Amino acid sequence: DADVTQTPRNRITKTGKRIMLECSQTKGHDRMYWYRQDPGLGLRLIYYSFDVKDINKGEISDGYSVSRQAQAKFSLSLESAIPNQTALYFCATSDSTNYGYTFGSGTRLTVV
Amino acid sequence: LAKTTQPISMDSYEGQEVNITCSHNNIATNDYITWYQQFPSQGPRFIIQGYKTKVTNEVASLFIPADRKSSTLSLPRVSLSDTAVYYCLVGDIRVTGGFKTIFGAGTRLFVKA
């Protein structure tokens, strides 16, 4: 099983619909992140959480919300999806003792 | 935040050594340099990390000059499967605030047969 699992892998939704992307991890890391990647661009931080009671906005949080249900679970919601939220979404984890992120395989979201 | 500058793209042939240089002029004293590899429709994968001088692992080498204002990722004898986007990050994600390391557009490496 993957260390960081994202569901669904692909999703097509309509404008105005609410959608949730889920992330779970078996790394035992306390920190979790949601990133967005647009074609030809790098990754931009949406939200991050350093523990279950900690939620922080990243650089592009407008239109998104998150929930940290447990140390191992971090979900991203689009309350009312719009076409320019069409992108590849990645969940990542880290902890205070290592230097690198561990990323999930991503969710490809299309809003029509 | 230490911003990084990398070439947008590079081409190479199988069996050649590839060097990708990243500039990070305003790197802070406590910052580490980390490189990631990303294949299409997959998440970035950690390749190598260093603070100064040279670091080598089974995948790559990382060269960091004394002033640490740049770094070079070296991939020995690349194969077609090394075709990917490579990202240079500067920061220390172990500490609070280090999470703000920025993923730029990366360098798209294309390896030809």
Side-chain angles (χ1 to χ4, degrees):
Chain A
D1 288 340
D3 292 326
V4 181
T5 302
Q6 292 185 234
T7 56
R9 287 300 311 274
N10 294 281
R11 179 73 182 268
I12 300 174
T13 192
K14 294 184 178 180
T15 298
K17 293 291 187 181
R18 183 180 188 275
I19 183 170
M20 179 182 289
L21 309 183
E22 300 193 33
C23 176
S24 63
Q25 53 120 341
T26 58
K27 298 285 291 184
H29 288 169
D30 50 359
R31 302 173 182 184
M32 299 188 74
Y33 311 80
W34 276 103
Y35 283 91
R36 165 179 173 160
Q37 184 174 37
D38 295 282
L41 301 180
L43 284 80
R44 292 180 292 168
L45 182 64
I46 306 173
Y47 270 95
Y48 62 97
S49 169
F50 278 5
D51 63 43
V52 175
K53 297 179 181 180
D54 177 75
I55 299 291
N56 302 280
K57 293 182 177 180
E59 61 179 305
I60 54 164
S61 59
D62 287 348
Y64 302 95
S65 63
V66 291
S67 174
R68 185 81 182 266
Q69 301 94 324
Q71 185 194 38
K73 296 183 181 295
F74 193 36
S75 60
L76 175 71
S77 294
L78 286 68
E79 297 301 326
S80 179
I82 56 177
N84 75 1
Q85 291 178 313
T86 293
L88 193 53
Y89 290 85
F90 289 103
C91 175
T93 71
S94 73
D95 68 16
S96 60
T97 63
N98 61 41
Y99 301 97
Y101 296 100
T102 300
F103 282 87
S105 296
T107 294
R108 184 172 298 281
L109 176 66
T110 302
V111 183
V112 297
Chain B
L1 301 175
K3 185 176 180 179
T4 61
T5 302
Q6 305 174 231
I8 297 297
S9 65
M10 297 179 68
D11 289 343
S12 182
Y13 289 93
E14 282 191 292
Q16 289 188 333
E17 179 184 73
V18 171
N19 296 308
I20 305 174
T21 297
C22 178
S23 298
H24 29 80
N25 291 319
N26 59 341
I27 187 170
T29 301
N30 296 328
D31 286 344
Y32 286 79
I33 301 158
T34 311
W35 285 81
Y36 290 79
Q37 175 191 57
Q38 185 180 24
F39 297 113
S41 298
Q42 293 186 28
R45 180 176 73 102
F46 174 92
I47 300 177
I48 197 167
Q49 171 266 325
Y51 183 79
K52 61 180 178 180
T53 63
K54 176 184 175 182
V55 180
T56 298
N57 62 21
E58 65 278 5
V59 176
S61 294
L62 178 60
F63 298 91
I64 305 169
D67 66 7
R68 305 202 324 125
K69 293 184 182 298
S70 66
S71 58
T72 299
L73 175 72
S74 181
L75 304 172
R77 298 178 298 282
V78 295
S79 64
L80 296 177
S81 63
D82 291 317
T83 293
V85 179
Y86 292 82
Y87 296 96
C88 165
L89 268 70
V90 175
D92 186 350
I93 71 167
R94 297 174 303 163
V95 301
T96 302
F99 67 89
K100 293 178 181 175
T101 52
I102 298 170
F103 281 82
T107 298
R108 189 172 299 274
L109 173 65
F110 184 68
V111 180
K112 307 172 190 176

